Amino acid sequence: QVQLVESGGGSVQPGGSLRLSCVASGYSYKNSCMGWFRQAPGKEREGVATINSNGLSTYYHPSVKGRFTISLDDAKNTVDLFMNSLIPEDTAMYYCAADRGLYPSCGGDGAFFDYWGQGIQVTVSS
């Protein structure tokens, strides 16, 4: 049984930084994707950043490019999201997700991901 457990959320002032971590257990797929999605109240879920297990393919939502960095430790089945220069619009519930390695690249569409964490809140406010 695959389980994804997120940690590291919380509240921060605009301009601050946070690091989200996700540990996957019971998960072992080659050429698979892991990543982060978010959903703000009243808005649709959107892909924030995803990465392939070979580290060669990444996706970033245009609104986070240059501010967020995704990192994967394939041996530890851990994916981290380093969030810098946070803005109030980054406030959302953040979800870790993983797929079964069926697709050649990693994108930001959650429909292609099979496993999801419970979510962790990130609040950016002064």
Side-chain angles (χ1 to χ4, degrees), residues 8 20 30 34 39 48 53 55-58 62 64 66 74 76 78 82-84 88 93 106-107 115 118 120-121 124:
L20 302 183
K30 294 183 179 180
M34 293 185 71
Q39 187 167 20
V48 177
S53 58
L56 300 179
S57 172
T58 58
V64 308
D74 194 35
K76 296 182 179 180
T78 300
F82 298 88
M83 304 185 293
N84 297 314
M93 187 71 78
C106 301
Y115 306 106
Q118 292 296 310
I120 193 164
Q121 181 67 36
V124 184

Side-chain angles (χ1 to χ4, degrees), residues 2-82:
V2 176
Q3 285 190 320
L4 305 177
V5 179
E6 303 104 335
S7 62
S11 296
V12 64
Q13 292 186 341
S17 300
L18 281 175
R19 172 185 175 180
L20 302 183
S21 292
C22 173
V23 179
S25 60
Y27 180 73
S28 177
Y29 293 96
K30 294 183 179 180
N31 296 320
S32 57
C33 297
M34 293 185 71
W36 293 90
F37 293 75
R38 68 186 180 187
Q39 187 167 20
K43 294 188 176 181
E44 293 187 353
R45 181 182 63 194
E46 62 183 12
V48 177
T50 62
I51 186 168
N52 187 277
S53 58
N54 61 22
L56 300 179
S57 172
T58 58
Y59 163 86
Y60 289 96
H61 191 278
S63 70
V64 308
K65 279 185 179 179
R67 300 189 298 121
F68 291 9
T69 301
I70 190 168
S71 176
L72 175 70
D73 187 332
D74 194 35
K76 296 182 179 180
N77 268 354
T78 300
V79 60
D80 291 339
L81 184 67
F82 298 88

Side-chain angles (χ1 to χ4, degrees), residues 101-118:
L102 301 178
Y103 306 101
S105 62
C106 301
D109 188 344
F112 293 99
F113 286 76
D114 305 285
Y115 306 106
W116 295 84
Q118 292 296 310

Side-chain angles (χ1 to χ4, degrees), residues 11-14 87-88 91 123-126:
S11 296
V12 64
Q13 292 186 341
I87 59 178
T91 296
T123 302
V124 184
S125 174
S126 56

